[in-house]
mmCIF file of all heavy atoms in Angstrom:
data_model
loop_
_atom_site.group_PDB
_atom_site.id
_atom_site.type_symbol
_atom_site.label_atom_id
_atom_site.label_comp_id
_atom_site.label_asym_id
_atom_site.label_seq_id
_atom_site.Cartn_x
_atom_site.Cartn_y
_atom_site.Cartn_z
ATOM 1 N N THR A 1 106.929 113.066 121.489
ATOM 2 C CA THR A 1 107.489 113.966 120.487
ATOM 3 C C THR A 1 107.907 113.191 119.239
ATOM 4 O O THR A 1 107.688 113.630 118.112
ATOM 5 C CB THR A 1 108.702 114.691 121.061
ATOM 6 O OG1 THR A 1 108.345 115.312 122.297
ATOM 7 C CG2 THR A 1 109.215 115.741 120.092
ATOM 8 N N PHE A 2 108.546 112.051 119.469
ATOM 9 C CA PHE A 2 109.011 111.208 118.379
ATOM 10 C C PHE A 2 108.600 109.763 118.624
ATOM 11 O O PHE A 2 108.577 109.291 119.764
ATOM 12 C CB PHE A 2 110.545 111.255 118.249
ATOM 13 C CG PHE A 2 111.077 112.578 117.800
ATOM 14 C CD1 PHE A 2 111.578 113.500 118.699
ATOM 15 C CD2 PHE A 2 111.075 112.914 116.452
ATOM 16 C CE1 PHE A 2 112.073 114.715 118.291
ATOM 17 C CE2 PHE A 2 111.567 114.136 116.030
ATOM 18 C CZ PHE A 2 112.069 115.038 116.948
ATOM 19 N N LEU A 3 108.318 109.086 117.544
ATOM 20 C CA LEU A 3 108.092 107.649 117.550
ATOM 21 C C LEU A 3 108.933 107.069 116.431
ATOM 22 O O LEU A 3 109.000 107.665 115.344
ATOM 23 C CB LEU A 3 106.616 107.314 117.300
ATOM 24 C CG LEU A 3 105.623 107.817 118.338
ATOM 25 C CD1 LEU A 3 104.211 107.750 117.783
ATOM 26 C CD2 LEU A 3 105.728 107.010 119.615
ATOM 27 N N GLY A 4 109.585 105.953 116.690
ATOM 28 C CA GLY A 4 110.434 105.449 115.629
ATOM 29 C C GLY A 4 110.841 104.004 115.797
ATOM 30 O O GLY A 4 110.431 103.326 116.755
ATOM 31 N N TRP A 5 111.614 103.590 114.823
ATOM 32 C CA TRP A 5 112.152 102.234 114.795
ATOM 33 C C TRP A 5 113.660 102.290 114.589
ATOM 34 O O TRP A 5 114.146 103.024 113.735
ATOM 35 C CB TRP A 5 111.525 101.422 113.663
ATOM 36 C CG TRP A 5 110.075 101.132 113.851
ATOM 37 C CD1 TRP A 5 109.021 101.883 113.419
ATOM 38 C CD2 TRP A 5 109.518 99.998 114.520
ATOM 39 N NE1 TRP A 5 107.842 101.291 113.784
ATOM 40 C CE2 TRP A 5 108.119 100.131 114.462
ATOM 41 C CE3 TRP A 5 110.052 98.873 115.152
ATOM 42 C CZ2 TRP A 5 107.255 99.178 115.013
ATOM 43 C CZ3 TRP A 5 109.200 97.941 115.704
ATOM 44 C CH2 TRP A 5 107.823 98.090 115.631
ATOM 45 N N TYR A 6 114.356 101.504 115.387
ATOM 46 C CA TYR A 6 115.785 101.290 115.238
ATOM 47 C C TYR A 6 116.001 99.799 115.002
ATOM 48 O O TYR A 6 115.098 98.993 115.227
ATOM 49 C CB TYR A 6 116.549 101.712 116.491
ATOM 50 C CG TYR A 6 116.785 103.188 116.617
ATOM 51 C CD1 TYR A 6 115.744 104.081 116.838
ATOM 52 C CD2 TYR A 6 118.076 103.708 116.525
ATOM 53 C CE1 TYR A 6 115.969 105.443 116.954
ATOM 54 C CE2 TYR A 6 118.324 105.071 116.654
ATOM 55 C CZ TYR A 6 117.263 105.925 116.875
ATOM 56 O OH TYR A 6 117.497 107.266 116.988
ATOM 57 N N ARG A 7 117.184 99.466 114.573
ATOM 58 C CA ARG A 7 117.527 98.050 114.443
ATOM 59 C C ARG A 7 118.985 97.829 114.818
ATOM 60 O O ARG A 7 119.809 98.751 114.747
ATOM 61 C CB ARG A 7 117.273 97.552 113.022
ATOM 62 C CG ARG A 7 118.189 98.140 111.963
ATOM 63 C CD ARG A 7 117.748 97.664 110.567
ATOM 64 N NE ARG A 7 118.606 98.204 109.513
ATOM 65 C CZ ARG A 7 118.355 98.051 108.219
ATOM 66 N NH1 ARG A 7 117.267 97.387 107.799
ATOM 67 N NH2 ARG A 7 119.167 98.555 107.316
ATOM 68 N N GLN A 8 119.259 96.603 115.220
ATOM 69 C CA GLN A 8 120.620 96.244 115.585
ATOM 70 C C GLN A 8 120.932 94.852 115.054
ATOM 71 O O GLN A 8 120.282 93.873 115.436
ATOM 72 C CB GLN A 8 120.821 96.291 117.101
ATOM 73 C CG GLN A 8 122.261 96.102 117.525
ATOM 74 C CD GLN A 8 122.490 96.458 118.980
ATOM 75 O OE1 GLN A 8 121.556 96.506 119.783
ATOM 76 N NE2 GLN A 8 123.736 96.724 119.336
ATOM 77 N N ALA A 9 121.895 94.816 114.163
ATOM 78 C CA ALA A 9 122.351 93.541 113.613
ATOM 79 C C ALA A 9 123.481 92.998 114.490
ATOM 80 O O ALA A 9 124.149 93.778 115.189
ATOM 81 C CB ALA A 9 122.831 93.737 112.179
ATOM 82 N N PRO A 10 123.733 91.709 114.444
ATOM 83 C CA PRO A 10 124.809 91.126 115.262
ATOM 84 C C PRO A 10 126.151 91.793 114.995
ATOM 85 O O PRO A 10 126.559 91.959 113.838
ATOM 86 C CB PRO A 10 124.826 89.664 114.824
ATOM 87 C CG PRO A 10 123.445 89.394 114.348
ATOM 88 C CD PRO A 10 122.994 90.671 113.711
ATOM 89 N N GLY A 11 126.821 92.211 116.046
ATOM 90 C CA GLY A 11 128.132 92.826 115.919
ATOM 91 C C GLY A 11 128.124 94.261 115.449
ATOM 92 O O GLY A 11 129.188 94.846 115.203
ATOM 93 N N LYS A 12 126.940 94.843 115.312
ATOM 94 C CA LYS A 12 126.847 96.223 114.833
ATOM 95 C C LYS A 12 126.124 97.090 115.853
ATOM 96 O O LYS A 12 125.430 96.602 116.735
ATOM 97 C CB LYS A 12 126.115 96.270 113.492
ATOM 98 C CG LYS A 12 126.859 95.584 112.353
ATOM 99 C CD LYS A 12 126.165 95.827 111.027
ATOM 100 C CE LYS A 12 126.945 95.220 109.881
ATOM 101 N NZ LYS A 12 126.280 95.471 108.565
ATOM 102 N N GLN A 13 126.305 98.395 115.691
ATOM 103 C CA GLN A 13 125.627 99.327 116.573
ATOM 104 C C GLN A 13 124.157 99.464 116.171
ATOM 105 O O GLN A 13 123.785 99.231 115.017
ATOM 106 C CB GLN A 13 126.311 100.695 116.505
ATOM 107 C CG GLN A 13 127.673 100.737 117.175
ATOM 108 C CD GLN A 13 128.225 102.148 117.269
ATOM 109 O OE1 GLN A 13 127.928 102.989 116.430
ATOM 110 N NE2 GLN A 13 129.016 102.419 118.290
ATOM 111 N N ARG A 14 123.355 99.865 117.140
ATOM 112 C CA ARG A 14 121.957 100.122 116.853
ATOM 113 C C ARG A 14 121.866 101.335 115.933
ATOM 114 O O ARG A 14 122.549 102.343 116.145
ATOM 115 C CB ARG A 14 121.194 100.373 118.147
ATOM 116 C CG ARG A 14 119.695 100.401 117.996
ATOM 117 C CD ARG A 14 119.009 100.468 119.358
ATOM 118 N NE ARG A 14 119.262 99.285 120.170
ATOM 119 C CZ ARG A 14 118.631 99.037 121.317
ATOM 120 N NH1 ARG A 14 117.708 99.874 121.760
ATOM 121 N NH2 ARG A 14 118.917 97.948 122.011
ATOM 122 N N GLU A 15 121.016 101.247 114.911
ATOM 123 C CA GLU A 15 120.905 102.333 113.950
ATOM 124 C C GLU A 15 119.450 102.712 113.730
ATOM 125 O O GLU A 15 118.546 101.881 113.839
ATOM 126 C CB GLU A 15 121.531 101.932 112.613
ATOM 127 C CG GLU A 15 120.864 100.753 111.925
ATOM 128 C CD GLU A 15 121.434 100.468 110.539
ATOM 129 O OE1 GLU A 15 122.369 101.153 110.104
ATOM 130 O OE2 GLU A 15 120.906 99.533 109.891
ATOM 131 N N LEU A 16 119.264 103.973 113.375
ATOM 132 C CA LEU A 16 117.933 104.474 113.085
ATOM 133 C C LEU A 16 117.423 103.877 111.777
ATOM 134 O O LEU A 16 118.146 103.837 110.784
ATOM 135 C CB LEU A 16 117.955 105.992 112.973
ATOM 136 C CG LEU A 16 116.662 106.655 112.511
ATOM 137 C CD1 LEU A 16 115.584 106.511 113.569
ATOM 138 C CD2 LEU A 16 116.895 108.118 112.166
ATOM 139 N N VAL A 17 116.179 103.444 111.782
ATOM 140 C CA VAL A 17 115.535 102.955 110.572
ATOM 141 C C VAL A 17 114.543 103.999 110.050
ATOM 142 O O VAL A 17 114.598 104.407 108.901
ATOM 143 C CB VAL A 17 114.805 101.620 110.832
ATOM 144 C CG1 VAL A 17 114.057 101.171 109.577
ATOM 145 C CG2 VAL A 17 115.793 100.552 111.287
ATOM 146 N N ALA A 18 113.635 104.405 110.923
ATOM 147 C CA ALA A 18 112.613 105.363 110.519
ATOM 148 C C ALA A 18 112.083 106.055 111.757
ATOM 149 O O ALA A 18 112.038 105.461 112.840
ATOM 150 C CB ALA A 18 111.478 104.665 109.782
ATOM 151 N N ILE A 19 111.661 107.296 111.574
ATOM 152 C CA ILE A 19 111.155 108.054 112.697
ATOM 153 C C ILE A 19 110.065 108.995 112.223
ATOM 154 O O ILE A 19 110.089 109.454 111.075
ATOM 155 C CB ILE A 19 112.303 108.810 113.395
ATOM 156 C CG1 ILE A 19 111.886 109.250 114.793
ATOM 157 C CG2 ILE A 19 112.787 109.979 112.554
ATOM 158 C CD1 ILE A 19 113.057 109.645 115.651
ATOM 159 N N THR A 20 109.103 109.263 113.090
ATOM 160 C CA THR A 20 108.055 110.226 112.785
ATOM 161 C C THR A 20 107.851 111.106 114.002
ATOM 162 O O THR A 20 108.003 110.651 115.140
ATOM 163 C CB THR A 20 106.753 109.502 112.394
ATOM 164 O OG1 THR A 20 105.748 110.477 112.075
ATOM 165 C CG2 THR A 20 106.232 108.607 113.514
ATOM 166 N N ASN A 21 107.533 112.378 113.754
ATOM 167 C CA ASN A 21 107.339 113.275 114.883
ATOM 168 C C ASN A 21 105.860 113.578 115.079
ATOM 169 O O ASN A 21 104.993 113.093 114.338
ATOM 170 C CB ASN A 21 108.163 114.548 114.710
ATOM 171 C CG ASN A 21 107.712 115.391 113.521
ATOM 172 O OD1 ASN A 21 106.629 115.195 112.973
ATOM 173 N ND2 ASN A 21 108.558 116.333 113.121
ATOM 174 N N SER A 22 105.587 114.406 116.060
ATOM 175 C CA SER A 22 104.194 114.696 116.403
ATOM 176 C C SER A 22 103.473 115.444 115.297
ATOM 177 O O SER A 22 102.241 115.438 115.248
ATOM 178 C CB SER A 22 104.136 115.487 117.710
ATOM 179 O OG SER A 22 104.927 116.659 117.618
ATOM 180 N N GLY A 23 104.241 116.083 114.414
ATOM 181 C CA GLY A 23 103.638 116.801 113.294
ATOM 182 C C GLY A 23 103.378 115.925 112.086
ATOM 183 O O GLY A 23 102.800 116.387 111.099
ATOM 184 N N GLY A 24 103.816 114.676 112.173
ATOM 185 C CA GLY A 24 103.583 113.754 111.069
ATOM 186 C C GLY A 24 104.726 113.645 110.081
ATOM 187 O O GLY A 24 104.655 112.860 109.129
ATOM 188 N N SER A 25 105.788 114.411 110.290
ATOM 189 C CA SER A 25 106.945 114.300 109.395
ATOM 190 C C SER A 25 107.654 112.977 109.630
ATOM 191 O O SER A 25 107.632 112.432 110.731
ATOM 192 C CB SER A 25 107.917 115.453 109.649
ATOM 193 O OG SER A 25 107.311 116.685 109.362
ATOM 194 N N THR A 26 108.287 112.486 108.587
ATOM 195 C CA THR A 26 108.996 111.213 108.688
ATOM 196 C C THR A 26 110.416 111.351 108.163
ATOM 197 O O THR A 26 110.718 112.230 107.349
ATOM 198 C CB THR A 26 108.282 110.112 107.894
ATOM 199 O OG1 THR A 26 108.174 110.512 106.525
ATOM 200 C CG2 THR A 26 106.893 109.851 108.442
ATOM 201 N N ASN A 27 111.264 110.465 108.637
ATOM 202 C CA ASN A 27 112.637 110.441 108.172
ATOM 203 C C ASN A 27 113.091 108.988 108.148
ATOM 204 O O ASN A 27 112.719 108.206 109.034
ATOM 205 C CB ASN A 27 113.542 111.262 109.093
ATOM 206 C CG ASN A 27 114.889 111.525 108.470
ATOM 207 O OD1 ASN A 27 115.021 111.596 107.246
ATOM 208 N ND2 ASN A 27 115.908 111.686 109.302
#
């Protein structure tokens, strides 16, 4: 349904970077 990338810097929470859904939309 979704494919995406998250990132986590030292001492910080994991955060969303970019995501795309099955319809091709991106955020």
